[in-house]
Amino acid sequence: MKLFKLWLIAKLCLLLVMPFPAWSQALPNPQPAQVNRAISGVLQDSMQARGFAANDPRFGNTLARAAPRLSVVAGGAVLVTVGAIAAPAWASTALAIGFTAAIGYAVTLGLDALVKWLFRDSTIDEYSNALSPANVPGTLVGDEVWCTNQGGGGCATSAEAMATQAAANLGLSAVSGSYDASRGTYTLKTNTGLSIFVSRAIGAVSCPGGHYYKGSQCLALTFPGESVRTGLSPNEAIKGLPESDLKKQLNPALIAALANRAWEQAAQQPGYDGLPYPQSNPITVTEAARWAQANPQYWPTVRDFVSPNPATPTNPNPWALPSSPTAPELTPTPQPNEGTTNPAIDQPQANLGADPAIGAPTLEQIPTAQQIADPILQLAPDLRHFEAQGHTGICPKPTIELYGTHVLDAHCKLIEDNKQVLQLAMAFAWAAMALFIVLSA
């Protein structure tokens, strides 16, 4: 036993001093371009779902006008720093494009993630292990109100009441409704299959970060096991995300909100020539989730959403939307009429001055009504004076010799007595025959 202990100790010492090869594990490579793909794909699917054909010139123009708007917003977004790279991320761009108005409740960045973000005007509130919004007595900011853009839009303190009213405004009746607590939404199915979507929104009363409104006062969030950090910069909020959340697929609510804001803001620019933004029927989370399910390999992760998205020589416009989001090579949508030439560029317009001494144009003399009708009235002049010759006939009266001479004249008397009726009948018969001849020609 003593020898075994000595052997075991010697072996452990030997293992401690022996070198072992080790390899460092590279961090996952973020792909912010996946967000571009998702926004473009959801936009295109949503436009087609609203009855617009892909060959409509305004279809491509919508993508082409939304991309520059995203670039402008990204130019004013807060820089996110990861290592030696400092550039706006889709997360900071979302903050700059107005997620405060698009998403008025704390939303998880990834599906089934732990951390929720509430987008403010310039900062982010972070809620870890928080209760779902449906269980919070009051909203994180302001009164608990539920709003929709469908059926004329509006807000109410009850999700069911707001959805039912929107359905009634559309002439529909409610069938069934369900909550999605993780997204703070309520969906009402109607008798025609159309769904009414209602979202939790910020009410009229504003409370400080980390508080909620109840009973005419702002109360601090003190739920058991909840961690709240308020007023965070994008950098601070991103650094607080656990690795487990970064690996998860991005919440479709964020892509739907980005697509809505990009389309809405592009449509407000002067000279916009794309499709009108459907204010009463915005892009929904369901539509974004449908595209994610159909194209899982092109759907972004949380890491793609929060990583810097710098301009590079190979990708000078990192915010451009691709015309084909599922193509292997990501190419941005070209500007409308790009590459065309003006055939009159070498033929400049001549300036004829204030008085070029060019007379007024002359018009042909307008023909009179008689001149217009003469070609018809003068047809077949030889027949204009045709007259049918009069003819008189005698009713034949045959005679037979049978036990004397008999004259058969009873038919003459019958015809003469009904002369007017026979004339009318024959006139009608000849008119009918003439009509059939004309129609068969």
Side-chain angles (χ1 to χ4, degrees), residues 129-143:
N129 301 322
L131 298 178
S132 62
N135 295 330
V136 176
T139 59
L140 301 179
V141 178
D143 280 326

Side-chain angles (χ1 to χ4, degrees), residues 35-55:
V35 181
N36 302 53
R37 291 180 184 271
I39 295 174
S40 177
V42 171
L43 264 176
Q44 294 187 50
D45 273 13
S46 301
M47 289 188 286
Q48 291 180 348
R50 283 153 181 77
F52 298 108
N55 59 359

